[in-house]
Amino acid sequence: MKIVPRSKVIYSFSSQHKPVEHIKSGELVLLETEDALGGQIKNEESSLDVLDWSKVDGATGPIFIEGAARGDTLVVEILDIKIEEKGLIVTVPKHGILGEKRFKPSTKMISTNDGYVHFDEGVRVRANPMIGTIGVAPESGEIASGSLGRHGGNMDVKMLTSGTKLHLPVFVEGALFAAGDMHAVQADGELCVSSVEVAGEALLRFSVIKNRKPEWPILETHGCFAILACGNTLDEAATFAAETAVKAFMREYDWSFERAYMFGSLAVDLEINQVVDPKKGIRAAISKEFISLENMLT
Ligand code: CA
């Protein structure tokens, strides 16, 4: 097993970054990650004013996956996630879905031991550690690790947890994978712009599907696939996600657009990933009963 330490951090996804590790298909990788604030906030008295924003939203990597080339699919299996026992959540004026309201910058330290996130006296939420930022080098240019796109990135999908697979399109040789920004738990939407931000480690395994790739990242659980699309608005993201699902049905069943569009109303759940990042994210979830991975790749 190879260990990639959290000191190997990037702040953008780009083909120009030099890989910090080379790994083979099937090899286990333990990826250590810092919290999304770069580990800079240690207590509730720390002022966000002193935050070095250039060290926020980092991702550990990039990792070169041998055999991955442009036009392929990188399959990432999230085998396990371990998180540290202390996390934090912040409010930042002008950020989050209610960013136009008047409120103060604030920090809350949160204990995440014993399988629960202890939010307040008598108020706890079962922990469900997940990976907020996960992706590969994009088609062109450089995309900040705090943003998201067809390459993945800061998608903040609560289902990217232990036991989930992620299928990412590969744009450059080796894919140049990186991940970070774990949350001890997050609900759909991530309303206040942060969730329970925490350092941790993810046990990952990679493989490659040659010469076929998804249009958007696709997550896979035991029971469903979900297309992870994003856009400048939720409406735009929903349109991209729905269109990708309808095209997959046309391939799966050899249906006309009209027939596949109709079936979308029966079989596609449009769910919100987050409403607070530079682009908004929607997932189109489809039961495995109705679609195969093969027909979600082109
Ligand atoms: Ca995030």
Side-chain angles (χ1 to χ4, degrees):
M1 180 173 70
K2 288 194 167 150
I3 297 174
V4 186
R6 62 180 57 123
S7 57
K8 306 289 188 187
V9 62
I10 52 175
Y11 298 97
S12 65
F13 287 91
S14 162
S15 62
Q16 300 305 305
H17 293 312
K18 199 169 169 303
V20 297
E21 190 62 85
H22 284 66
I23 72 124
K24 293 185 176 64
S25 218
E27 198 173 358
L28 291 177
V29 179
L30 189 71
L31 193 88
E32 299 178 352
T33 65
E34 187 51 274
D35 70 54
L37 296 168
Q40 298 180 79
I41 304 289
K42 301 287 185 205
N43 55 57
E44 295 183 355
E45 287 67 50
S46 298
S47 166
L48 292 179
D49 295 343
V50 301
L51 205 60
D52 179 350
W53 288 93
S54 73
K55 296 202 163 44
V56 164
D57 285 330
T60 305
I63 300 170
F64 185 103
I65 289 91
E66 289 176 15
R70 182 181 171 79
D72 294 345
T73 298
L74 179 67
V75 185
V76 187
E77 286 178 79
I78 305 173
L79 300 172
D80 194 23
I81 299 177
K82 288 195 170 62
I83 53 170
E84 294 197 349
E85 292 192 349
K86 285 272 178 229
L88 75 159
I89 184 162
V90 295
T91 55
V92 185
K94 304 232 183 296
H95 286 75
I97 189 76
L98 303 180
E100 296 315 309
K101 302 272 179 197
R102 284 190 57 180
F103 59 89
K104 295 190 282 263
S106 64
T107 302
K108 183 165 177 51
M109 304 304 292
I110 294 179
S111 159
T112 62
N113 58 5
D114 75 0
Y116 282 90
V117 169
H118 295 273
F119 184 80
D120 207 348
E121 185 86 37
V123 182
R124 63 178 195 173
V125 180
R126 190 181 289 278
N128 185 30
M130 49 148 288
I131 302 174
T133 298
I134 184 166
V136 293
E139 172 99 69
S140 61
E142 183 178 30
I143 298 180
S145 49
S147 192
L148 60 160
R150 293 181 190 269
H151 70 294
N154 187 17
M155 297 188 289
D156 289 319
V157 182
K158 73 177 181 185
M159 294 164 82
L160 284 173
T161 187
S162 178
T164 297
K165 280 187 201 174
L166 181 64
H167 304 269
L168 290 163
V170 178
F171 300 106
V172 304
E173 196 186 351
L176 300 182
F177 172 90
D181 182 31
M182 286 186 187
H183 302 157
V185 68
Q186 182 209 302
D188 280 342
E190 203 187 10
L191 300 197
C192 92
V193 85
S194 73
S195 191
V196 184
E197 310 293 337
V198 67
E201 56 185 46
L203 184 64
L204 306 174
R205 185 165 53 205
F206 299 90
S207 55
V208 176
I209 300 171
K210 294 301 292 178
N211 302 317
R212 311 194 72 201
K213 65 173 173 55
E215 199 172 330
W216 294 94
I218 295 172
L219 72 72
E220 177 181 355
T221 66
H222 181 68
C224 81
F225 291 106
I227 299 156
L228 308 178
C230 66
N232 293 317
T233 61
L234 279 177
D235 283 353
E236 188 180 59
T239 302
F240 287 144
E243 189 178 9
T244 306
V246 168
K247 285 195 283 191
F249 289 141
M250 291 171 72
R251 287 189 291 269
E252 179 85 24
Y253 299 102
D254 203 17
W255 278 340
S256 65
F257 174 86
E258 293 79 4
R259 186 65 51 91
Y261 191 20
M262 286 174 185
F263 193 60
S265 290
L266 280 62
V268 179
D269 286 316
L270 290 180
E271 297 162 345
I272 292 173
N273 292 325
Q274 53 71 32
V275 293
V276 296
D277 290 331
K279 291 189 173 214
K280 316 306 169 210
I282 290 276
R283 63 178 181 272
I286 308 167
S287 166
K288 284 181 170 176
E289 192 181 343
F290 303 125
I291 196 76
S292 59
L293 178 65
E294 192 189 329
N295 285 312
M296 302 184 84
L297 308 179
T298 56

